[in-house]
C-alpha cells in the first residue's frame, strides 16, 4: 500500500526559512497536499500541487516536487511564531483517497 | 458561513457504552470521511461515504459504525467493541471522488476519552 513519511520535528528561528520534507511511494499519485494543524484543531489546507508540476509558489509558501525521487517539500519563507504547528503532507491516489504522513511539528523560536 | 461542524468538542465514554459523534456540513459536498488521530501520529481512515445511503470501510473500521441518511450529515458511532477509543476524531468532506482535485476540508475535531 501507499506510504508517506515525514520527519517528526523541525525547529527554526523567527525570520528564517523552514523546509519540511515528505517522501511517498505511490507513483500514481494525482495531487499532493500540505495541511496545517494547530493545537486541538482540525486540519487546514495550505496548498497543493498537481503531480506533473515541479514547483508551486503561493505567497510565503513554496512547494517543490521531485516526482522521480517521490520527494515533496514545503518551504516557508520568513517563518513567524504563528507558523508553529504540525504540518501534514498527503497524497491523493488514482481513486482520490488521501494518505497522510505522520506530521512534522514545526517549532519557531523568537 | 460554510463549513464543517463537529460536536461535541469533548466526549467521555464509559466502559461498555456506545457514543455518537456528530458531523454536519453545509458545503453541498457529496463525499464525507471520518479519520482517527492518535498522539504524534497521522490520520487513519475509519469510514467514508461518496454519496447518500452509501458508505465504505476504511483502514480501521472495526468497532465503529456510520450512517449517511442525509447529504449534510455523517455521524460516527464508537461502539463498545472498540477497545481503545481514546483519540482525536476528525470529520472531513469533499466535492467527490470523481473529481481529480479532491480537496478535503476538515472540521475542528472531537476528542474522545474513556472514563
Amino acid at each position: 500500500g501507499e506510504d508517506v513519511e515525514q520527519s517528526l520535528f523541525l525547529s527554526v528561528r523567527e525570520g528564517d526559512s523552514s523546509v519540511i520534507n515528505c517522501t511517498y511511494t505511490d507513483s500514481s499519485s494525482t495531487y499532493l497536499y500540505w495541511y496545517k494543524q494547530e493545537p486541538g484543531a482540525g486540519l487546514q489546507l495550505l496548498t497543493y500541487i498537481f503531480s506533473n508540476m515541479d514547483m508551486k509558489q503561493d505567497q510565503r509558501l513554496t512547494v517543490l516536487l521531485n516526482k522521480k525521487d517521490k520527494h515533496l517539500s514545503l518551504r516557508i519563507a520568513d517563518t513567524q511564531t504563528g507558523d508553529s504547528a504540525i504540518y501534514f503532507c498527503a497524497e491523493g491516489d488514482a481513486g482520490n483517497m488521501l494518505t497522510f504522513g505522520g506530521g512534522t511539528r514545526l517549532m519557531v523560536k523568537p | 458561513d460554510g463549513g464543517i461542524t463537529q460536536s461535541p468538542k469533548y466526549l467521555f465514554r464509559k466502559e461498555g457504552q456506545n457514543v455518537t459523534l456528530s458531523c454536519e456540513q453545509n458545503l453541498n459536498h457529496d463525499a464525507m470521511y471520518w479519520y482517527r488521530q492518535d498522539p504524534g501520529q497521522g490520520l487513519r481512515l475509519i469510514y467514508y461515504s461518496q454519496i447518500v445511503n452509501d458508505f465504505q470501510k476504511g483502514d480501521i473500521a472495526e468497532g465503529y459504525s456510520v450512517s449517511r441518511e442525509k447529504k449534510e450529515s455523517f455521524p460516527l458511532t464508537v461502539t463498545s467493541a472498540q477497545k481503545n477509543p481514546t483519540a482525536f476524531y476528525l470529520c472531513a468532506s469533499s466535492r467527490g471522488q470523481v473529481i481529480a482535485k479532491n480537496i478535503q476540508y476538515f472540521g475542528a475535531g472531537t476528542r474522545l476519552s474513556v472514563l
Side-chain angles (χ1 to χ4, degrees):
Chain A
E2 304 91 358
D3 195 19
V4 180
E5 299 281 344
Q6 299 178 238
S7 52
L8 283 176
F9 188 75
L10 176 65
S11 178
V12 300
R13 293 218 170 269
E14 192 172 19
D16 288 349
S17 292
S18 307
V19 179
I20 302 171
N21 295 301
C22 173
T23 58
Y24 61 98
T25 58
D26 187 355
S27 58
S28 65
S29 295
T30 54
Y31 283 86
L32 295 120
Y33 305 84
W34 283 103
Y35 283 87
K36 176 183 180 182
Q37 184 181 36
E38 296 185 2
L43 273 65
Q44 171 196 355
L45 178 70
L46 285 178
T47 188
Y48 59 89
I49 187 168
F50 188 46
S51 57
N52 69 351
M53 294 173 62
D54 298 324
M55 185 184 89
K56 180 179 180 182
Q57 187 153 4
D58 184 1
Q59 299 182 344
R60 291 192 297 124
L61 305 178
T62 303
V63 179
L64 294 177
L65 175 60
N66 182 328
K67 195 169 183 180
K68 174 177 169 289
D69 293 338
K70 298 188 180 68
H71 182 266
L72 181 73
S73 68
L74 173 70
R75 179 177 180 269
I76 305 173
D78 187 25
T79 313
Q80 302 298 307
T81 54
D83 295 324
S84 294
I86 301 175
Y87 291 80
F88 290 94
C89 68
E91 62 166 352
D93 65 16
N96 286 318
M97 297 302 292
L98 297 185
T99 299
F100 288 84
T104 299
R105 183 178 296 274
L106 174 64
M107 177 180 288
V108 182
K109 298 178 182 177
Chain B
D1 273 321
I4 302 169
T5 301
Q6 289 188 241
S7 62
K9 190 169 175 67
Y10 300 96
L11 186 59
F12 297 90
R13 192 190 91 165
K14 295 179 182 178
E15 195 170 334
Q17 186 183 40
N18 293 351
V19 292
T20 298
L21 285 61
S22 169
C23 179
E24 304 276 331
Q25 54 99 358
N26 60 4
L27 300 168
N28 199 32
H29 284 171
D30 285 317
M32 297 186 75
Y33 312 81
W34 274 106
Y35 293 91
R36 170 179 170 141
Q37 184 180 22
D38 292 284
Q41 297 189 29
L43 278 66
R44 292 185 290 168
L45 184 65
I46 304 172
Y47 269 98
Y48 64 101
S49 167
Q50 299 181 45
I51 199 166
V52 175
N53 292 321
D54 186 54
F55 48 83
Q56 285 81 41
K57 293 181 180 180
D59 300 320
I60 55 165
E62 187 175 346
Y64 301 97
S65 66
V66 293
S67 63
R68 186 86 187 278
E69 296 175 4
K70 297 187 295 182
K71 186 175 184 178
E72 57 270 21
S73 179
F74 191 40
L76 173 75
T77 296
V78 184
T79 74
S80 56
Q82 173 49 249
K83 296 307 179 189
N84 183 22
T86 297
F88 191 50
Y89 290 86
L90 287 160
C91 177
S93 71
S94 70
R95 287 169 62 198
Q97 292 179 301
V98 296
I99 297 166
K101 187 173 65 181
N102 188 35
I103 295 174
Q104 293 186 19
Y105 298 89
F106 285 80
T110 293
R111 187 166 300 281
L112 175 62
S113 302
V114 176
L115 289 176

